[in-house]
Amino acid sequence: MAEKRDFYEVLGLSKGAGKDEIKKAYRKLAVKFHPDKNPGDTAAEEKFKEATEAYEVLSDEQKRQRYDQFGHAAFGPGSGAGGGAGGFGGVDLEEALRTFMGAFGSGGGGSIFDNFFGGGGREDSNRGSDLRYDLEIDFEEAVFGSRRDLTFNVNVECDTCDGTGAAKGSGVETCSTCQGTGQVVMQQGFFQMRQTCPECQGTGKIIRNPCKDCRGTGQRKGKRQITLRIPPGVETGSRLRVAGKGEGGLQGGTPGDLYVIIHVREHDLFERHDLDLIVDLPVPLTTAILGGEVEVPTLEGHSRIKIPSGTQSGKVLRLKGKGVKDPRGYGNGDLHVRVQVEIPGKVHGKLKKAVEQLEKELDGENQPQRRSFRNQDKKFQEKRQALQDLES
Ligand SMILES: [Zn+2]
Ligand SMILES: [Zn+2]
């Protein structure tokens, strides 16, 4: 895990920053890195989450005080203080989006999305459903990034009625029951409750003469084609959000989002653990005994590494920084080279003679593991014998 950045540093503020300054700084970052503006960009998503987490803490008087006093430790595991936000593991995207909406999105329809993203916000009852697309990619694509053309079935706008759901020549009327808001207020005793309008099912519109081709839904079955940019560093389970590429909205509503879930195929050379890579490297028997240099494949090409004399199979040599690049920009993982001493298979003639000679020369001095193993075995057998004698 990379070191967590200072919350003031994240927002580009000094310690004495006022409430308005904090909100302004957060707004600037959040709008810049918002997932709706950076579809499929996990680096931006991380920046968005990081800024949101900083904002959640610094905008809350109590949390800010604790943070000023104890730093990130104030919200460590077991402190019981994080309350989700500012927790040790940071915030997840859903939570970050809620915070963002809570800070700027509310207030009579004029949400930040209208201003910045041209969308209708998230409260749209005609909004199309989100879609999930499971995408299998190669190790190389995950590590270096790539582009993929995706085609998938989706409900799209009906051509006949241009998505309105109303037959040609007839119009769409505003629902008189809810005045087009899609909601009605019900009085129950002292309580007022908002409910979906029963007349228009929340659409705010009434279609007297529905389009025959789509039966008034404004949709038909169709295909969507997109080019997905896969950012470098993704791994199995990474989720790329592509705004507006899910199911089409009903009767002209905004479309849902597409979520692409990444599955990375296993690779023949590299095994991945987060940002670290493991490679099993066959090393000649003689190099393992005498020592020497060998070539290792890396993400940048090749590296030469020293094999010390007397290297055993299973020994791991670390190449610092030669792992996968952190998509959030926090440096690189490492490449772990696991030595696999290769024992020659077919030996005949001169080589066989040489090996037989080697066999004669080997003794306990140059096989210390074998000697120590024998000693431990001897002790075990003695104890076993003694206890069995006792029982008989
Ligand atoms: Zn209505
Ligand atoms: Zn239609």
Side-chain angles (χ1 to χ4, degrees):
M1 266 314 274
E3 186 92 17
K4 223 178 162 85
R5 284 212 294 158
D6 177 72
F7 287 150
Y8 290 99
E9 188 192 314
V10 168
L11 296 179
L13 296 168
S14 61
K15 280 228 162 181
K19 274 196 148 151
D20 287 349
E21 272 180 276
I22 292 170
K23 195 161 181 173
K24 239 170 103 177
Y26 169 58
R27 181 186 167 108
K28 211 172 132 195
L29 287 172
V31 168
K32 182 173 172 196
F33 294 116
H34 197 285
D36 281 1
K37 281 184 74 187
N38 304 277
D41 183 346
T42 47
E45 185 179 312
E46 288 307 322
K47 288 246 159 63
F48 177 72
K49 290 196 288 193
E50 190 186 34
T52 303
E53 188 185 5
Y55 171 73
E56 286 194 27
V57 171
L58 298 186
S59 63
D60 180 308
E61 204 65 55
Q62 279 191 341
K63 284 185 188 167
R64 184 176 177 184
Q65 242 174 43
R66 299 180 51 124
Y67 179 72
D68 287 347
Q69 203 172 352
F70 303 111
H72 290 303
F75 312 106
S79 74
F88 205 66
V91 294
D92 68 18
L93 182 62
E94 302 305 327
E95 193 183 329
L97 288 169
R98 273 201 302 277
T99 300
F100 177 72
M101 286 300 282
F104 305 110
S106 59
S111 84
I112 196 163
F113 291 96
D114 296 326
N115 302 333
F116 290 93
F117 310 126
R122 281 160 186 273
E123 308 290 298
D124 181 358
S125 64
N126 285 353
R127 182 177 182 271
S129 311
D130 293 337
L131 278 183
R132 174 191 169 121
Y133 188 108
D134 287 274
L135 179 65
E136 227 190 312
I137 60 172
D138 287 334
F139 170 82
E140 289 86 347
E141 295 180 279
V143 167
F144 300 114
S146 134
R147 271 167 209 279
R148 279 291 197 99
D149 290 325
L150 309 182
T151 307
F152 46 97
N153 295 322
V154 72
N155 287 321
V156 295
E157 206 169 77
C158 169
D159 313 322
T160 316
C161 62
D162 292 329
T164 61
K168 275 239 160 68
S170 79
V172 179
E173 295 167 25
T174 302
C175 173
S176 57
T177 309
C178 62
Q179 267 83 47
T181 62
Q183 290 194 322
V184 286
V185 178
M186 308 283 279
Q187 190 82 33
Q188 262 189 2
F190 292 111
F191 299 103
Q192 279 198 340
M193 296 198 323
R194 282 193 168 274
Q195 285 189 344
T196 302
C197 172
E199 189 65 28
C200 62
Q201 275 80 47
T203 61
K205 291 165 193 159
I206 298 285
I207 296 167
R208 299 267 175 235
N209 190 4
C211 164
K212 285 193 181 62
D213 289 351
C214 63
R215 288 188 301 271
T217 62
Q219 293 189 326
R220 63 174 175 83
K221 294 253 173 276
K223 280 191 192 309
R224 229 195 252 297
Q225 199 174 2
I226 64 155
T227 301
L228 177 75
R229 195 182 71 83
I230 301 168
V234 295
E235 55 189 317
T236 292
S238 292
R239 195 182 66 161
L240 306 179
R241 175 164 174 267
V242 190
K245 297 298 179 187
E247 298 277 11
L250 281 169
Q251 297 169 5
T254 47
D257 298 335
L258 173 72
Y259 287 94
V260 181
I261 314 291
I262 298 292
H263 303 269
V264 184
R265 290 190 197 96
E266 276 188 23
H267 194 256
D268 291 335
L269 288 181
F270 296 104
E271 191 182 311
R272 182 165 168 187
H273 296 270
D274 295 327
L275 298 178
D276 286 354
L277 295 174
I278 300 175
V279 61
D280 278 320
L281 182 74
V283 170
L285 177 67
T286 45
T287 311
I289 296 173
L290 302 171
E293 265 195 10
V294 288
E295 199 170 64
V296 193
T298 70
L299 297 183
E300 290 132 23
H302 291 97
S303 280
R304 293 193 70 81
I305 56 164
K306 268 208 167 72
I307 304 289
S309 63
T311 293
Q312 307 288 341
S313 249
K315 166 98 182 161
V316 177
L317 305 161
R318 186 169 70 134
L319 289 177
K320 213 170 175 309
K322 295 279 186 191
V324 179
K325 195 171 170 216
D326 188 326
R328 293 160 298 183
Y330 288 132
N332 287 28
D334 300 330
L335 174 63
H336 303 269
V337 181
R338 200 156 51 192
V339 170
Q340 302 294 341
V341 176
E342 181 160 22
I343 308 297
K346 295 166 187 162
V347 288
H348 322 272
K350 263 167 102 178
L351 179 56
K352 195 171 178 203
K353 284 258 154 36
V355 177
E356 281 165 355
Q357 186 61 36
L358 179 67
E359 188 186 26
K360 271 187 219 140
E361 301 294 334
L362 287 175
D363 56 25
E365 271 322 299
N366 41 42
Q367 297 178 99
Q369 279 185 35
R370 194 152 173 254
R371 188 162 63 178
S372 124
F373 185 88
R374 276 192 183 154
N375 286 340
Q376 278 152 7
D377 180 26
K378 201 173 149 220
K379 270 189 227 157
F380 165 70
Q381 301 300 347
E382 280 166 7
K383 276 192 186 165
R384 181 182 64 81
Q385 198 59 59
L387 288 167
Q388 279 176 349
D389 290 349
L390 211 64
E391 287 299 308
S392 60

